[in-house]
């Protein structure tokens, strides 16, 4: 258990010993522009939220190794809710998963109570592995990490995110012009960013914000935000009609040539397939 927590803090905090606030509900560690709330369990699992230089993250540590994968699927349920599949990113330590939507996840963690995490194929023999945990409630520590990073403690827009399709847009909408980010000037060979925006009636995007990015200093969030200016949505339910105003989400993977894994190659093939479908849809809509 101690090794798992040390690995989690080393990956997420990237600092040695931090001063802990023993009076906090979750353990709280703070130093300069870094604030981390974390809790750990006897089964070796650890969960943390952190604000580092304005960037917010939530992670789960102590999971079965993900190997060479850059993303992994986890099925999560709070209380007695049904398990819901979510996509997580794999950290440098492949036993640590980084949330794509850290602020909504942190807001659910605050209440404490039962938390189930199912790891597909995570047990011996390829069987599913289920963690059934009792979270301590957090009346202050998680709140501090959220507010320090300017994230609200309650956000009714979280319900909109739950209704989004796999490509991050509401049902009956589709990308007319998918966001295409340029690789930033950075020292990293790979990275990612997750962005949320609000759609305009003409299909353009506004009020875009970086939900999370990794590595934090890789400029991947800024590059993904810049791509939002060229993106456009279309109304599939009523072609030619205005696009309903609502929240959308998209994620951009950045990868230098020569660093592809098998998962990256599969993702690129899927991206090319989507591009072909989108071009066909545009031609059909224009009557070509």
């Amino acid at each position: 258990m101690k090794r798992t927590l040390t690995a989690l803090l080393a990956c997420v905090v990237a600092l040695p010993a931090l001063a802990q606030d023993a009076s906090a509900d979750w353990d709280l560690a703070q130093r300069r522009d870094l604030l981390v709330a974390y809790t750990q369990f006897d089964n070796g699992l650890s969960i943390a939220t952190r604000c580092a230089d304005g960037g917010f993250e939530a992670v789960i540590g102590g999971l079965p190794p993900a190997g060479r994968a850059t993303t992994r699927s986890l099925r999560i349920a709070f209380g007695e809710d049904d398990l819901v599949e979510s996509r997580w990113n794999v950290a440098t330590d492949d036993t640590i998963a980084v949330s794509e939507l850290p602020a909504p996840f942190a807001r659910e963690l605050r209440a404490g109570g039962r938390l189930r995490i199912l790891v597909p194929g995570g047990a011996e023999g390829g069987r599913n592995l289920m963690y059934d945990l009792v979270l301590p409630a957090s009346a202050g520590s998680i709140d501090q990490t959220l507010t320090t990073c300017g994230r609200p403690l309650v956000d009714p827009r979280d319900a909109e995110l739950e209704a989004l399709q796999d490509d991050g847009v509401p049902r009956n909408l589709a990308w007319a012009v998918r966001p295409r980010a340029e690789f930033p000037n950075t020292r990293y060979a790979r990275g990612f960013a997750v962005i949320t925006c609000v759609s305009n009636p003409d299909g353009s995007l506004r009020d875009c914000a970086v939900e999370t990015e990794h590595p934090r200093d890789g400029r991947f969030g800024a590059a993904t935000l810049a791509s939002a200016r060229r993106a456009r949505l279309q109304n599939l339910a009523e072609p030619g009609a205005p696009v309903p105003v609502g929240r959308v989400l998209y994620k951009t993977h950045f990868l230098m040539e020569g660093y592809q894994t098998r998962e990256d190659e599969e993702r690129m093939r899927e991206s090319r397939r989507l591009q072909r479908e989108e071009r066909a849809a545009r031609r059909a809509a224009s009557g070509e």
Side-chain angles (χ1 to χ4, degrees):
M1 180 177 68
K2 184 176 180 180
R3 185 199 65 79
T4 299
L5 179 62
T6 301
L8 185 150
L9 292 178
C11 173
V12 180
V13 180
L15 285 174
L18 302 180
Q20 295 184 8
D21 181 355
S23 65
D25 33 35
W26 284 34
D27 289 308
L28 194 66
Q30 184 171 17
R31 184 174 179 179
R32 297 177 185 171
D33 58 356
L34 175 65
L35 185 67
V36 183
Y38 65 93
T39 189
Q40 55 185 320
F41 302 90
D42 291 340
N43 59 13
L45 217 63
S46 301
I47 302 175
T49 66
R50 81 156 188 172
C51 178
D53 193 25
F56 191 76
E57 288 183 334
V59 302
I60 300 173
L63 296 166
R68 289 176 56 96
T70 57
T71 63
R72 71 188 308 168
S73 174
L74 299 176
R75 300 184 66 191
I76 295 177
F78 287 89
E80 302 307 315
D81 292 346
D82 293 335
L83 290 163
V84 176
E85 186 168 351
S86 58
R87 181 65 58 180
W88 291 64
N89 295 281
V90 178
T92 304
D93 181 329
D94 66 354
T95 67
I96 296 174
V98 183
S99 174
E100 291 191 351
L101 291 170
F105 183 63
R107 283 189 280 268
E108 292 197 85
L109 292 172
R110 296 169 64 235
R114 189 183 185 191
L115 171 66
R116 286 172 290 152
I117 302 173
L118 186 146
V119 185
E124 186 177 351
R127 293 176 292 107
N128 293 341
L129 176 63
M130 174 71 83
Y131 295 97
D132 199 337
L133 312 169
V134 178
L135 283 173
S138 178
S141 296
I142 295 176
D143 289 8
Q144 287 189 55
T145 61
L146 284 164
T147 55
T148 299
C149 264
R151 268 55 170 185
L153 302 182
V154 178
D155 192 340
R157 297 176 302 170
D158 289 349
E160 297 180 47
L161 295 174
E162 296 174 3
L164 296 180
Q165 301 177 96
D166 290 343
D167 62 355
V169 301
R171 200 170 301 279
N172 296 325
L173 296 184
W175 293 109
V177 179
R178 188 174 289 272
R180 306 289 179 205
E182 297 183 2
F183 204 100
N185 181 15
T186 180
R187 60 192 176 93
Y188 297 104
R190 66 164 61 238
F192 72 87
V194 177
I195 305 295
T196 55
C197 302
V198 175
S199 58
N200 289 316
D202 65 357
S204 61
L205 304 177
R206 61 177 169 86
D207 299 337
C208 296
V210 178
E211 295 293 332
T212 188
E213 61 180 309
H214 185 79
R216 280 284 309 140
D217 58 348
R219 302 192 180 101
F220 296 113
T224 307
L225 281 176
S227 71
R229 293 193 291 268
R230 299 181 291 273
R232 290 293 184 274
L233 291 164
Q234 59 184 332
N235 190 330
L236 293 182
E238 300 179 58
V243 170
V245 175
R247 208 171 186 195
V248 299
L249 173 151
Y250 67 94
K251 176 181 178 180
T252 301
H253 289 275
F254 296 85
L255 180 66
M256 280 188 177
E257 187 70 28
Y259 289 85
Q260 297 95 333
T261 65
R262 180 178 299 177
E263 182 185 10
D264 295 323
E265 292 170 352
E266 292 175 355
R267 186 185 299 116
M268 287 186 285
R269 282 195 293 270
E270 176 65 10
S271 178
R272 288 192 290 268
R273 184 188 66 80
L274 290 172
Q275 291 177 44
R276 289 194 297 270
E277 292 181 356
E278 289 164 1
R279 286 195 295 268
R282 287 196 296 270
R283 286 196 296 269
S286 62
E288 294 180 6

